Amino acid sequence: MSLLSVVIPAYNEEQNISLAVAGISEVLETADIPYELIFVDDGSKDQTYARICEEARCHPAVRGVSFSRNFGKEAAIFAGLSESKGDACVVTDCDLQFPPEVIPKMWELWQQGFEVVEGKKSTRGNEKAAHGVCARLFYRLIGKAVGMDMQSSSDFKLLDRRVVNVMNTLQEKDTFFRALSFWAGFRTTTVEFEVVARTNGQSKWSIGGLFKYAVNNLTSFTTAPLRVVTVLGAASLIASFVMAIQTLIRFFMGSAVEGFTTVILLLLLIGGAIMISLGIIGHYIARIFDEVKNRPRYIVARRTEEE
Ligand code: UDP
Ligand code: MG
């Protein structure tokens, strides 16, 4: 009989642990799916890990690891995947915003032979309009970079053991799980679901955090900004030829005294363009630096088996 692993990253979710265990295990038991729940406590500052330990004591199907500090959801997902033993893995959120009722549907599709089942948001929950616009733009860009339609995609997905093994062998430290499952390929299908509003606690995302997340994830899948630098350089070279000819003609005609304003404007423009280009190149160098250090993606400090 095949086993399903459910990977659940949790950061400051003390109120949600027992709800998640109850909600998910009820659905899976009703559907008669053998399962294990793997909680990854992402260095929470509240009692999340204590709650996970309590659940692990009462339910043999529940396990958990705890990070030494907060490493982020991406790291938590990958830790969960490498801990999992199932023939298929579902990644979901601890706040039950991804309805557990969808998991049996994913399981069914997996049994039909699909190796990746993507959870697709049919609505984006109670989000602000501006947030929705930014999200759409971000997914359009990253979808282009990955070469797939990633609109409405989420971290809610089922992966076959083969895909999980691919994920586990990835060497990169700065990952974007949501796009990596598209990148990996395999037989893929989607399931639509409705995002449920968060009941306990609050979302961990700030505007600044989301912006950084978007930039980091885009640049981890595309080098297009570097090509933009080249295009900008070529454009200004062409413009400079035209300007040079005009300036020389004016010089020989003896009317080259004025034009100081043009010089200042050009200087400012070119200066700005060079700075931005350096910044873009610097961003990629910083990423190379981060990867090359080869530090572990996360540090597991405790496991429920050892408590
Ligand atoms: N999460 C995590 N580490 C973090 C931030 C979030 O493991 O640094 C987990 C969190 O506990 C939840 C999931 O990631 O299970 C989604 O987080 P959240 O609900 O804050 O994000 P949103 O649903 O607003 O995208
Ligand atoms: Mg949430």
Side-chain angles (χ1 to χ4, degrees):
M1 194 70 183
S2 322
L3 176 72
L4 174 71
S5 301
V6 182
V7 170
I8 312 162
Y11 177 54
N12 295 345
E13 304 273 12
E14 56 181 5
Q15 301 146 301
N16 287 327
I17 301 291
S18 60
L19 291 175
V21 172
I24 297 171
S25 57
E26 195 200 312
V27 169
L28 294 180
E29 270 155 32
T30 316
D32 213 14
I33 301 172
Y35 67 93
E36 58 169 357
L37 302 186
I38 302 164
F39 282 93
V40 182
D41 164 32
D42 187 9
S44 303
K45 291 178 185 64
D46 60 4
Q47 294 300 308
T48 300
Y49 185 60
R51 291 290 108 76
I52 296 172
C53 290
E54 276 166 24
E55 293 297 328
R57 244 173 273 134
C58 318
H59 302 270
V62 176
R63 289 192 285 141
V65 295
S66 177
F67 286 174
S68 59
R69 65 168 170 85
N70 182 249
F71 280 92
K73 186 183 178 186
E74 290 288 320
I77 290 175
F78 279 86
L81 289 179
S82 83
E83 291 291 321
S84 70
K85 300 198 178 89
D87 306 283
C89 283
V90 164
V91 176
T92 186
D93 275 4
C94 195
D95 51 12
L96 293 174
Q97 283 192 285
F98 300 155
E101 296 76 38
V102 180
I103 300 177
K105 279 192 223 159
M106 293 179 154
W107 176 259
E108 223 166 81
L109 287 164
W110 175 72
Q111 287 188 318
Q112 288 169 20
F114 289 105
E115 289 154 319
V116 178
V117 185
E118 300 279 349
K120 201 171 168 190
K121 297 176 186 167
S122 54
T123 55
R124 295 194 54 97
N126 50 352
E127 262 177 3
K128 292 194 189 75
H131 187 126
V133 171
C134 293
R136 260 194 295 280
L137 177 69
F138 169 67
Y139 284 115
R140 167 115 24 102
L141 291 173
I142 192 123
K144 263 217 174 96
V146 185
M148 302 248 184
D149 177 22
M150 283 196 47
Q151 213 60 254
S152 314
S153 70
S154 67
D155 281 339
F156 189 25
K157 36 187 119 211
L158 179 145
L159 306 179
D160 182 78
R161 174 51 45 189
R162 259 167 275 193
V163 189
V164 174
N165 289 342
V166 169
M167 294 292 150
N168 286 340
T169 53
L170 292 180
Q171 294 290 312
E172 64 195 273
K173 303 292 171 292
D174 211 340
T175 47
F176 185 35
F177 177 65
R178 204 167 298 180
L180 279 172
S181 67
F182 285 85
W183 167 87
F186 290 94
R187 273 181 298 222
T188 304
T189 186
T190 54
V191 172
E192 291 224 349
F193 71 93
E194 295 239 355
V195 179
V196 186
R198 199 183 232 280
T199 38
N200 291 315
Q202 53 191 3
S203 173
K204 273 97 207 164
W205 289 106
S206 61
I207 300 287
L210 276 177
F211 182 73
K212 204 172 137 200
Y213 182 76
V215 170
N216 267 339
N217 290 326
L218 277 173
T219 51
S220 89
F221 274 91
T222 176
T223 49
L226 289 174
R227 285 196 294 279
V228 171
V229 171
T230 317
V231 171
L232 266 182
S236 66
L237 197 67
I238 292 167
S240 72
F241 272 125
V242 178
M243 290 292 285
I245 292 167
Q246 192 227 25
T247 312
L248 281 177
I249 291 174
R250 289 183 124 218
F251 177 74
F252 287 119
M253 284 167 64
S255 62
V257 194
E258 83 250 46
F260 193 60
T261 324
T262 324
V263 172
I264 292 179
L265 287 180
L266 274 179
L267 215 67
L268 289 175
L269 195 74
I270 303 286
I274 290 176
M275 298 283 223
I276 288 180
S277 307
L278 279 178
I280 292 173
I281 297 166
H283 180 85
Y284 282 95
I285 295 178
R287 298 196 52 128
I288 297 171
F289 178 59
D290 281 341
E291 295 290 342
V292 127
K293 278 187 288 187
N294 214 17
R295 289 192 186 146
R297 204 177 305 173
Y298 52 82
I299 302 168
V300 172
R302 271 174 279 279
R303 299 170 174 276
T304 50
E305 291 100 319
E306 294 160 2
E307 297 294 324

